[in-house]
Amino acid sequence: GTGTPLAGEAHAGPVVAQVRPGADPVILRVRAAGSLEVAVVDALTQAPVAGATVELRALAVTRGTSDASGLARLGGVGAGAAVLVVSAAGHATWRRMITTAGAPERQRVELRGGAAVAGRVVDAAGRPVAGARALPEDVAEPFPVLDVRLDAVLSDAQGGFRFDALPAGTYRFVAEHPEAGPGASAPLALDGTTAREGVEIRLEGGARLAGRVVDRAGQPVPAATVRVARAEGFVWQPSRVALADA
């Protein structure tokens, strides 16, 4: 496991530890942390954007809000890779992988306008699927930075979903649901200004997978974590997680 507790302007970890009988205690050494100041401006007018939500996603999520001058300050920032996400009403959400050094740093983010996209999620027979998690994947992005837990929208009772503002680009809309296989739409090119409707994400039929976890002696291993993942380029996307029973 890993741990990264934050204590005000201090930072500790991450520490990787193997859990086994007789393992040494995990020691987290707290040290001074860095900070990240984010200047948020409108890409067209270069005016500051107040009230923007700024998130730094690492092992933990740190959030802040830009002030009247467009500045947001995040404290307790350690060194390592993280995803910076900035969103504001009337603008497309900005996402990028960054590397922090654990020292005071500054980023400038230019928010652009975006177009609304709406559609629906259906099953293999064309029936609407409620409660599916839908995401817009930029096909030009080799390393996706979307988080299904934080960025997905849930389809409604009619299977409908909507993204209020997406920037120009070509997107593939994907969705997942606990009782079906994943699905994706055809690629869709957006100009960043023209709203689009009628996007359909068709979920695949889902198979059931069952098995048994045993140790080297063939004895059952209770509470083992079993994950099913699919390869997406260089990224393995976990799609299902279960715990083994007794």
Side-chain angles (χ1 to χ4, degrees):
T2 58
T4 310
L6 304 177
E9 296 302 306
H11 180 88
V15 172
V16 179
Q18 184 177 17
V19 179
R20 66 183 187 279
D24 293 333
V26 175
I27 299 176
L28 291 170
R29 301 187 185 280
V30 178
R31 59 185 181 274
S35 61
L36 179 63
E37 187 178 72
V38 181
V40 187
V41 301
D42 184 279
L44 184 61
T45 66
Q46 296 298 300
V49 177
T53 299
V54 178
E55 293 183 345
L56 188 67
R57 301 175 181 175
L59 293 179
V61 179
T62 305
R63 292 185 176 89
T65 303
S66 63
D67 59 20
S69 62
L71 293 178
R73 184 182 181 278
L74 306 179
V77 177
V83 176
L84 181 62
V85 182
V86 182
S87 58
H91 297 82
T93 299
W94 184 97
R95 298 179 178 88
R96 186 169 298 170
M97 179 76 73
I98 65 171
T99 301
T100 57
E105 298 179 71
R106 183 181 175 95
Q107 285 272 345
R108 177 183 172 88
V109 173
E110 296 188 357
L111 295 183
R112 302 184 183 278
V117 177
R120 67 178 192 142
V121 183
V122 299
D123 62 16
R127 297 172 297 218
V129 177
R133 295 182 179 271
L135 285 169
E137 289 187 348
D138 187 340
V139 300
E141 175 56 61
F143 301 104
V145 293
L146 292 169
D147 188 320
V148 68
R149 300 165 302 172
L150 301 173
D151 299 317
V153 298
L154 287 178
S155 59
D156 59 24
Q158 289 73 45
F161 67 89
R162 176 184 172 89
F163 296 98
D164 291 328
L166 292 177
T170 300
Y171 296 85
R172 185 177 66 134
F173 294 86
V174 299
E176 61 179 46
H177 190 276
E179 298 178 1
S185 71
L188 177 66
L190 299 178
D191 59 12
T193 58
T194 307
R196 302 292 292 270
E197 296 183 352
V199 176
E200 182 176 275
I201 305 174
R202 187 174 294 265
L203 299 181
E204 305 167 4
R208 290 185 179 274
L209 180 65
R212 190 163 175 258
V213 182
V214 297
D215 61 20
R216 292 183 178 181
Q219 297 302 306
V221 180
T225 301
V226 181
R227 292 182 176 88
V228 178
R230 55 194 171 93
E232 295 286 347
F234 296 101
V235 180
W236 285 90
Q237 295 285 359
S239 57
R240 295 291 184 269
V241 180
L243 289 178
D245 60 20

